[in-house]
Amino acid sequence: MMRIDHVVLEVTDPERSAAFYQDVVGLAPVRLDEFRAGTVKFPSLRIAGDSLIDLFPPTMWRGAAAHNPNHLCLATTTEALAALRARLAARSIAITRSDDHNFGARGFGRSIYFDDPDGISIEVRDYPPG
């Protein structure tokens, strides 16, 4: 069986993106201090114990413009999804789409979508019981 180890996002400002994903989405930064000190080329964010999001600055992009996925999906608990909705509202970050019957890795769940500072669409979903 395979698992996702990491996903790479090409972002214009890794520190701004790290702050967004930490403060809004609730992911913990990894190697952010080392990035600021110039000892590593990019910071990351911890999704789970065995998976990360890497934030590549423009010097590491594949071309002159960023090439990112259509969207990135994270799964969480019903309670954490409600808390995320509150953080988005408190920061006036629009939910661009929601779906109460959206298919994912564990079947059907409820999803919300919003954009990060680089316009990357983020989906966060829960899988309610039953």
Side-chain angles (χ1 to χ4, degrees), residues 75-99:
T76 192
T77 65
T78 300
E79 296 79 15
L81 185 59
L84 172 59
R85 283 179 179 270
R87 289 193 303 275
L88 293 169
R91 291 168 174 83
S92 299
I93 298 171
I95 293 174
T96 58
R97 182 174 155 228
S98 62
D99 191 326

PDB file of all heavy atoms in Angstrom, residues 75-99:
ATOM      1  N   ALA A  75      -8.671  16.159   5.431  1.00  0.00           N
ATOM      2  CA  ALA A  75      -9.799  15.619   6.179  1.00  0.00           C
ATOM      3  C   ALA A  75      -9.580  15.884   7.660  1.00  0.00           C
ATOM      4  O   ALA A  75      -8.449  15.849   8.158  1.00  0.00           O
ATOM      5  CB  ALA A  75      -9.932  14.118   5.928  1.00  0.00           C
ATOM      6  N   THR A  76     -10.677  16.159   8.364  1.00  0.00           N
ATOM      7  CA  THR A  76     -10.597  16.466   9.784  1.00  0.00           C
ATOM      8  C   THR A  76     -11.870  15.977  10.475  1.00  0.00           C
ATOM      9  O   THR A  76     -12.719  15.345   9.850  1.00  0.00           O
ATOM     10  CB  THR A  76     -10.364  17.976  10.003  1.00  0.00           C
ATOM     11  OG1 THR A  76     -10.022  18.200  11.363  1.00  0.00           O
ATOM     12  CG2 THR A  76     -11.574  18.802   9.614  1.00  0.00           C
ATOM     13  N   THR A  77     -12.008  16.310  11.738  1.00  0.00           N
ATOM     14  CA  THR A  77     -13.192  15.938  12.496  1.00  0.00           C
ATOM     15  C   THR A  77     -14.298  16.966  12.275  1.00  0.00           C
ATOM     16  O   THR A  77     -14.040  18.091  11.826  1.00  0.00           O
ATOM     17  CB  THR A  77     -12.886  15.868  13.996  1.00  0.00           C
ATOM     18  OG1 THR A  77     -12.542  17.185  14.451  1.00  0.00           O
ATOM     19  CG2 THR A  77     -11.752  14.890  14.292  1.00  0.00           C
ATOM     20  N   THR A  78     -15.501  16.596  12.621  1.00  0.00           N
ATOM     21  CA  THR A  78     -16.639  17.508  12.517  1.00  0.00           C
ATOM     22  C   THR A  78     -16.412  18.748  13.381  1.00  0.00           C
ATOM     23  O   THR A  78     -16.678  19.872  12.955  1.00  0.00           O
ATOM     24  CB  THR A  78     -17.936  16.784  12.916  1.00  0.00           C
ATOM     25  OG1 THR A  78     -18.120  15.680  12.017  1.00  0.00           O
ATOM     26  CG2 THR A  78     -19.147  17.699  12.857  1.00  0.00           C
ATOM     27  N   GLU A  79     -15.878  18.545  14.587  1.00  0.00           N
ATOM     28  CA  GLU A  79     -15.612  19.667  15.488  1.00  0.00           C
ATOM     29  C   GLU A  79     -14.547  20.593  14.924  1.00  0.00           C
ATOM     30  O   GLU A  79     -14.676  21.818  14.987  1.00  0.00           O
ATOM     31  CB  GLU A  79     -15.187  19.154  16.875  1.00  0.00           C
ATOM     32  CG  GLU A  79     -16.258  18.364  17.596  1.00  0.00           C
ATOM     33  CD  GLU A  79     -16.396  16.912  17.120  1.00  0.00           C
ATOM     34  OE1 GLU A  79     -15.482  16.403  16.412  1.00  0.00           O
ATOM     35  OE2 GLU A  79     -17.436  16.296  17.419  1.00  0.00           O
ATOM     36  N   ALA A  80     -13.483  20.025  14.381  1.00  0.00           N
ATOM     37  CA  ALA A  80     -12.407  20.842  13.822  1.00  0.00           C
ATOM     38  C   ALA A  80     -12.879  21.592  12.577  1.00  0.00           C
ATOM     39  O   ALA A  80     -12.456  22.726  12.330  1.00  0.00           O
ATOM     40  CB  ALA A  80     -11.187  19.979  13.505  1.00  0.00           C
ATOM     41  N   LEU A  81     -13.775  20.990  11.793  1.00  0.00           N
ATOM     42  CA  LEU A  81     -14.313  21.674  10.618  1.00  0.00           C
ATOM     43  C   LEU A  81     -15.157  22.872  11.049  1.00  0.00           C
ATOM     44  O   LEU A  81     -15.068  23.946  10.450  1.00  0.00           O
ATOM     45  CB  LEU A  81     -15.134  20.708   9.760  1.00  0.00           C
ATOM     46  CG  LEU A  81     -15.666  21.252   8.443  1.00  0.00           C
ATOM     47  CD1 LEU A  81     -14.532  21.746   7.534  1.00  0.00           C
ATOM     48  CD2 LEU A  81     -16.493  20.200   7.720  1.00  0.00           C
ATOM     49  N   ALA A  82     -15.937  22.713  12.111  1.00  0.00           N
ATOM     50  CA  ALA A  82     -16.724  23.839  12.631  1.00  0.00           C
ATOM     51  C   ALA A  82     -15.806  24.958  13.127  1.00  0.00           C
ATOM     52  O   ALA A  82     -16.068  26.145  12.879  1.00  0.00           O
ATOM     53  CB  ALA A  82     -17.653  23.360  13.751  1.00  0.00           C
ATOM     54  N   ALA A  83     -14.716  24.603  13.802  1.00  0.00           N
ATOM     55  CA  ALA A  83     -13.757  25.611  14.283  1.00  0.00           C
ATOM     56  C   ALA A  83     -13.086  26.318  13.109  1.00  0.00           C
ATOM     57  O   ALA A  83     -12.849  27.530  13.156  1.00  0.00           O
ATOM     58  CB  ALA A  83     -12.723  24.960  15.198  1.00  0.00           C
ATOM     59  N   LEU A  84     -12.776  25.582  12.045  1.00  0.00           N
ATOM     60  CA  LEU A  84     -12.188  26.183  10.850  1.00  0.00           C
ATOM     61  C   LEU A  84     -13.162  27.177  10.225  1.00  0.00           C
ATOM     62  O   LEU A  84     -12.769  28.287   9.850  1.00  0.00           O
ATOM     63  CB  LEU A  84     -11.802  25.110   9.835  1.00  0.00           C
ATOM     64  CG  LEU A  84     -11.350  25.607   8.463  1.00  0.00           C
ATOM     65  CD1 LEU A  84     -10.132  26.516   8.573  1.00  0.00           C
ATOM     66  CD2 LEU A  84     -11.082  24.437   7.540  1.00  0.00           C
ATOM     67  N   ARG A  85     -14.425  26.809  10.121  1.00  0.00           N
ATOM     68  CA  ARG A  85     -15.431  27.736   9.594  1.00  0.00           C
ATOM     69  C   ARG A  85     -15.425  29.047  10.390  1.00  0.00           C
ATOM     70  O   ARG A  85     -15.498  30.138   9.815  1.00  0.00           O
ATOM     71  CB  ARG A  85     -16.827  27.120   9.649  1.00  0.00           C
ATOM     72  CG  ARG A  85     -17.125  26.115   8.584  1.00  0.00           C
ATOM     73  CD  ARG A  85     -18.560  25.576   8.787  1.00  0.00           C
ATOM     74  NE  ARG A  85     -18.941  24.620   7.792  1.00  0.00           N
ATOM     75  CZ  ARG A  85     -19.531  24.913   6.635  1.00  0.00           C
ATOM     76  NH1 ARG A  85     -19.790  26.161   6.340  1.00  0.00           N
ATOM     77  NH2 ARG A  85     -19.860  23.973   5.784  1.00  0.00           N
ATOM     78  N   ALA A  86     -15.314  28.939  11.703  1.00  0.00           N
ATOM     79  CA  ALA A  86     -15.298  30.131  12.558  1.00  0.00           C
ATOM     80  C   ALA A  86     -14.046  30.968  12.301  1.00  0.00           C
ATOM     81  O   ALA A  86     -14.123  32.205  12.247  1.00  0.00           O
ATOM     82  CB  ALA A  86     -15.390  29.727  14.025  1.00  0.00           C
ATOM     83  N   ARG A  87     -12.885  30.320  12.147  1.00  0.00           N
ATOM     84  CA  ARG A  87     -11.650  31.068  11.864  1.00  0.00           C
ATOM     85  C   ARG A  87     -11.723  31.761  10.523  1.00  0.00           C
ATOM     86  O   ARG A  87     -11.272  32.893  10.365  1.00  0.00           O
ATOM     87  CB  ARG A  87     -10.434  30.139  11.930  1.00  0.00           C
ATOM     88  CG  ARG A  87     -10.082  29.686  13.328  1.00  0.00           C
ATOM     89  CD  ARG A  87      -8.713  29.027  13.413  1.00  0.00           C
ATOM     90  NE  ARG A  87      -8.536  27.887  12.545  1.00  0.00           N
ATOM     91  CZ  ARG A  87      -8.894  26.631  12.841  1.00  0.00           C
ATOM     92  NH1 ARG A  87      -9.488  26.363  13.992  1.00  0.00           N
ATOM     93  NH2 ARG A  87      -8.663  25.654  11.995  1.00  0.00           N
ATOM     94  N   LEU A  88     -12.290  31.095   9.522  1.00  0.00           N
ATOM     95  CA  LEU A  88     -12.462  31.717   8.207  1.00  0.00           C
ATOM     96  C   LEU A  88     -13.367  32.936   8.317  1.00  0.00           C
ATOM     97  O   LEU A  88     -13.052  34.006   7.779  1.00  0.00           O
ATOM     98  CB  LEU A  88     -13.033  30.716   7.205  1.00  0.00           C
ATOM     99  CG  LEU A  88     -12.133  29.545   6.805  1.00  0.00           C
ATOM    100  CD1 LEU A  88     -12.924  28.508   6.021  1.00  0.00           C
ATOM    101  CD2 LEU A  88     -10.931  30.015   6.015  1.00  0.00           C
ATOM    102  N   ALA A  89     -14.483  32.794   8.997  1.00  0.00           N
ATOM    103  CA  ALA A  89     -15.423  33.911   9.154  1.00  0.00           C
ATOM    104  C   ALA A  89     -14.772  35.065   9.903  1.00  0.00           C
ATOM    105  O   ALA A  89     -14.934  36.230   9.515  1.00  0.00           O
ATOM    106  CB  ALA A  89     -16.676  33.438   9.883  1.00  0.00           C
ATOM    107  N   ALA A  90     -14.011  34.769  10.952  1.00  0.00           N
ATOM    108  CA  ALA A  90     -13.361  35.822  11.745  1.00  0.00           C
ATOM    109  C   ALA A  90     -12.357  36.606  10.921  1.00  0.00           C
ATOM    110  O   ALA A  90     -12.092  37.779  11.211  1.00  0.00           O
ATOM    111  CB  ALA A  90     -12.678  35.212  12.967  1.00  0.00           C
ATOM    112  N   ARG A  91     -11.793  35.991   9.891  1.00  0.00           N
ATOM    113  CA  ARG A  91     -10.804  36.649   9.034  1.00  0.00           C
ATOM    114  C   ARG A  91     -11.403  37.113   7.706  1.00  0.00           C
ATOM    115  O   ARG A  91     -10.677  37.501   6.803  1.00  0.00           O
ATOM    116  CB  ARG A  91      -9.640  35.699   8.788  1.00  0.00           C
ATOM    117  CG  ARG A  91      -8.810  35.449  10.040  1.00  0.00           C
ATOM    118  CD  ARG A  91      -7.856  34.285   9.842  1.00  0.00           C
ATOM    119  NE  ARG A  91      -6.956  34.122  10.956  1.00  0.00           N
ATOM    120  CZ  ARG A  91      -7.253  33.479  12.075  1.00  0.00           C
ATOM    121  NH1 ARG A  91      -8.454  32.949  12.244  1.00  0.00           N
ATOM    122  NH2 ARG A  91      -6.357  33.362  13.043  1.00  0.00           N
ATOM    123  N   SER A  92     -12.705  37.011   7.581  1.00  0.00           N
ATOM    124  CA  SER A  92     -13.417  37.387   6.340  1.00  0.00           C
ATOM    125  C   SER A  92     -12.876  36.646   5.123  1.00  0.00           C
ATOM    126  O   SER A  92     -12.762  37.203   4.035  1.00  0.00           O
ATOM    127  CB  SER A  92     -13.363  38.901   6.117  1.00  0.00           C
ATOM    128  OG  SER A  92     -13.989  39.566   7.184  1.00  0.00           O
ATOM    129  N   ILE A  93     -12.539  35.375   5.304  1.00  0.00           N
ATOM    130  CA  ILE A  93     -12.095  34.528   4.197  1.00  0.00           C
ATOM    131  C   ILE A  93     -13.320  33.785   3.690  1.00  0.00           C
ATOM    132  O   ILE A  93     -13.972  33.040   4.437  1.00  0.00           O
ATOM    133  CB  ILE A  93     -10.993  33.549   4.642  1.00  0.00           C
ATOM    134  CG1 ILE A  93      -9.762  34.322   5.116  1.00  0.00           C
ATOM    135  CG2 ILE A  93     -10.641  32.584   3.512  1.00  0.00           C
ATOM    136  CD1 ILE A  93      -8.703  33.466   5.780  1.00  0.00           C
ATOM    137  N   ALA A  94     -13.640  33.994   2.428  1.00  0.00           N
ATOM    138  CA  ALA A  94     -14.859  33.429   1.851  1.00  0.00           C
ATOM    139  C   ALA A  94     -14.752  31.922   1.656  1.00  0.00           C
ATOM    140  O   ALA A  94     -13.718  31.411   1.216  1.00  0.00           O
ATOM    141  CB  ALA A  94     -15.139  34.092   0.501  1.00  0.00           C
ATOM    142  N   ILE A  95     -15.825  31.234   1.980  1.00  0.00           N
ATOM    143  CA  ILE A  95     -15.980  29.836   1.578  1.00  0.00           C
ATOM    144  C   ILE A  95     -16.514  29.891   0.154  1.00  0.00           C
ATOM    145  O   ILE A  95     -17.592  30.423  -0.097  1.00  0.00           O
ATOM    146  CB  ILE A  95     -16.932  29.082   2.523  1.00  0.00           C
ATOM    147  CG1 ILE A  95     -16.288  28.962   3.908  1.00  0.00           C
ATOM    148  CG2 ILE A  95     -17.271  27.705   1.947  1.00  0.00           C
ATOM    149  CD1 ILE A  95     -17.187  28.359   4.972  1.00  0.00           C
ATOM    150  N   THR A  96     -15.722  29.388  -0.788  1.00  0.00           N
ATOM    151  CA  THR A  96     -16.059  29.520  -2.202  1.00  0.00           C
ATOM    152  C   THR A  96     -17.035  28.453  -2.676  1.00  0.00           C
ATOM    153  O   THR A  96     -17.684  28.623  -3.707  1.00  0.00           O
ATOM    154  CB  THR A  96     -14.790  29.476  -3.070  1.00  0.00           C
ATOM    155  OG1 THR A  96     -14.102  28.241  -2.818  1.00  0.00           O
ATOM    156  CG2 THR A  96     -13.871  30.649  -2.747  1.00  0.00           C
ATOM    157  N   ARG A  97     -17.118  27.354  -1.915  1.00  0.00           N
ATOM    158  CA  ARG A  97     -18.021  26.265  -2.288  1.00  0.00           C
ATOM    159  C   ARG A  97     -18.188  25.371  -1.081  1.00  0.00           C
ATOM    160  O   ARG A  97     -17.274  25.234  -0.272  1.00  0.00           O
ATOM    161  CB  ARG A  97     -17.419  25.470  -3.450  1.00  0.00           C
ATOM    162  CG  ARG A  97     -18.285  24.346  -3.952  1.00  0.00           C
ATOM    163  CD  ARG A  97     -17.684  23.687  -5.209  1.00  0.00           C
ATOM    164  NE  ARG A  97     -18.185  22.332  -5.265  1.00  0.00           N
ATOM    165  CZ  ARG A  97     -17.448  21.260  -5.472  1.00  0.00           C
ATOM    166  NH1 ARG A  97     -16.156  21.351  -5.658  1.00  0.00           N
ATOM    167  NH2 ARG A  97     -18.003  20.075  -5.504  1.00  0.00           N
ATOM    168  N   SER A  98     -19.335  24.751  -0.960  1.00  0.00           N
ATOM    169  CA  SER A  98     -19.539  23.717   0.053  1.00  0.00           C
ATOM    170  C   SER A  98     -20.354  22.599  -0.571  1.00  0.00           C
ATOM    171  O   SER A  98     -21.087  22.808  -1.540  1.00  0.00           O
ATOM    172  CB  SER A  98     -20.217  24.285   1.300  1.00  0.00           C
ATOM    173  OG  SER A  98     -21.483  24.785   0.984  1.00  0.00           O
ATOM    174  N   ASP A  99     -20.185  21.410  -0.034  1.00  0.00           N
ATOM    175  CA  ASP A  99     -20.870  20.241  -0.570  1.00  0.00           C
ATOM    176  C   ASP A  99     -21.117  19.281   0.582  1.00  0.00           C
ATOM    177  O   ASP A  99     -20.175  18.896   1.276  1.00  0.00           O
ATOM    178  CB  ASP A  99     -20.010  19.590  -1.657  1.00  0.00           C
ATOM    179  CG  ASP A  99     -20.759  18.536  -2.454  1.00  0.00           C
ATOM    180  OD1 ASP A  99     -21.623  17.841  -1.885  1.00  0.00           O
ATOM    181  OD2 ASP A  99     -20.466  18.393  -3.650  1.00  0.00           O
TER     182      ASP A  99
END
